[in-house]
Amino acid sequence: MRRVQSFGELTMPERFLVYFLLFLFGFIFIVPFVWMLSTSLKGEIGLFDIPPKWIPDPVQWTNYREAVTSFPFLKFTANTVFLSVVVMFGTIASSSLVAYAFAKLRWPGKHVWFVVMLSTIMLPAHVTMIPMFLIFKELRWIDTFLPLTVPAFFGSAFNIFLLRQFFLGIPKELSEAAKIDGCSHFGIFRIIFLPLSKPALATVAILTFMGTWNDFLHPLIYLNNPDKFTLALGLRSFMMQYNTRWNVMMAASVLVMLPTVILFFMFQRYFVEGIVLTGIKG
């Protein structure tokens, strides 16, 4: 089997090609964001100039004030933060416990149930959408936050798999030593595995928080009361109201997107480390 070369072993042309591809894909992904940011600071004139004017002149900071005051931004933000935090903690707690059971405990049918659990990843969410709605309707949970938060406390197949791969890389000698000292399985999980799994847990937390923050479909299905709307629903209502004022809409979009961008850059090191370590272990 051919050994994979590290970046330091590449020749100069190969390094140039790598840098060129990184710059090309980075440019492709950053241009829409720069256009959105530039449009959010423009006035009504010059939004669709060809060639586009990337630096606004003059800068219209009032677009952000108008975006915040045109719809209940703070209320929607509070609802979104509440849902994102609850779902994040529920997913971490449930997925980490199940991942520990699959990685370190011995029980009948463990491998069979692990395959069954992985098979649910291949099941599209749209297939279960109607059955889940009917279940929540019978439970009288429609137009509440319960359908958006309670399922998080039953684990996520992808996150369970990710954490299991990380737990498999933790030496079993640590848990055996703790067991000799009289520590229970939950104590081993809490004292040894959780502190050593911060990169993987941070990865799950970031992915879950960003997914919940940007989720539009599930709040659209289960929430009817405007007082319980999230930012995604509020932004959609805002776009329907200001469908011709692109500068104000882009300002609102930047405000909605900004927390997830800040969160990612704050914990980028843990995110990359968690992805790399879970990919090479187990």
Side-chain angles (χ1 to χ4, degrees):
M1 181 180 296
R2 183 183 177 184
R3 185 176 67 88
V4 179
Q5 287 182 302
S6 64
F7 184 79
E9 297 174 339
L10 299 177
T11 62
M12 187 59 68
E14 291 174 335
R15 291 188 182 185
F16 177 79
L17 179 61
V18 171
Y19 282 124
F20 174 76
L21 292 176
L22 289 175
F23 174 80
L24 178 62
F25 284 104
F27 179 79
I28 293 174
F29 281 101
I30 200 65
V31 164
F33 174 76
V34 174
W35 181 86
M36 179 175 65
L37 185 62
S38 174
T39 304
S40 68
L41 295 173
K42 292 180 179 179
E44 299 293 340
I45 302 175
L47 292 177
F48 304 102
D49 288 347
I50 301 297
K53 188 177 181 181
W54 294 97
I55 301 178
D57 185 23
V59 176
Q60 297 285 341
W61 293 105
T62 55
N63 294 336
Y64 286 89
R65 183 179 62 186
E66 186 174 355
V68 172
T69 57
S70 297
F71 70 111
F73 182 82
L74 295 179
K75 180 183 291 291
F76 294 164
T77 301
N79 294 338
T80 309
V81 169
F82 171 77
L83 289 175
S84 301
V85 171
V86 171
V87 171
M88 181 181 66
F89 280 103
T91 301
I92 292 176
S94 57
S95 298
S96 59
L97 284 171
V98 177
Y100 175 77
F102 277 124
K104 295 300 181 180
L105 300 185
R106 294 181 179 179
W107 43 280
K110 179 177 73 172
H111 299 292
V112 175
W113 284 111
F114 182 69
V115 173
V116 173
M117 185 271 298
L118 285 182
S119 65
T120 62
I121 300 178
M122 298 179 287
L123 187 66
H126 302 83
V127 175
T128 60
M129 187 181 302
I130 295 178
M132 292 292 291
F133 179 85
L134 294 178
I135 292 174
F136 292 139
K137 182 180 179 181
E138 291 297 325
L139 294 174
R140 300 178 185 271
W141 285 5
I142 302 300
D143 201 25
T144 68
F145 290 148
L146 293 177
L148 304 175
T149 55
V150 172
F153 291 86
F154 290 88
S156 167
F158 173 79
N159 294 321
I160 292 172
F161 172 76
L162 189 148
L163 292 174
R164 173 187 176 272
Q165 296 302 107
F166 192 92
F167 289 163
L168 288 174
I170 297 178
K172 63 180 181 180
E173 290 78 10
L174 295 176
S175 56
E176 290 176 353
K179 191 179 297 183
I180 293 175
D181 292 337
C183 193
S184 63
H185 283 298
F186 183 75
I188 296 173
F189 167 76
R190 181 175 58 87
I191 298 174
I192 296 177
F193 279 79
L194 288 184
L196 294 177
S197 305
K198 289 181 180 179
L201 294 175
T203 302
V204 173
I206 293 173
L207 292 176
T208 304
F209 186 92
M210 295 176 65
T212 307
W213 185 277
N214 297 317
D215 188 17
F216 172 76
L217 182 60
H218 292 93
L220 177 66
I221 294 174
Y222 297 118
L223 299 179
N224 300 321
N225 189 348
D227 292 335
K228 299 177 182 178
F229 278 5
T230 61
L231 281 173
L233 290 180
L235 183 61
R236 175 59 180 172
S237 302
F238 181 83
M239 293 175 63
M240 295 175 63
Q241 183 179 359
Y242 292 89
N243 58 352
T244 58
R245 301 192 61 187
W246 290 96
N247 52 346
V248 181
M249 283 196 297
M250 292 301 104
S253 300
V254 170
L255 292 175
V256 172
M257 183 187 64
L258 193 59
T260 57
V261 175
I262 295 175
L263 179 70
F264 176 78
F265 281 106
M266 287 178 58
F267 299 97
Q268 182 181 11
R269 180 171 65 88
Y270 297 101
F271 178 79
V272 175
E273 184 179 355
I275 291 295
V276 171
L277 293 178
T278 51
I280 65 177
K281 293 184 178 182

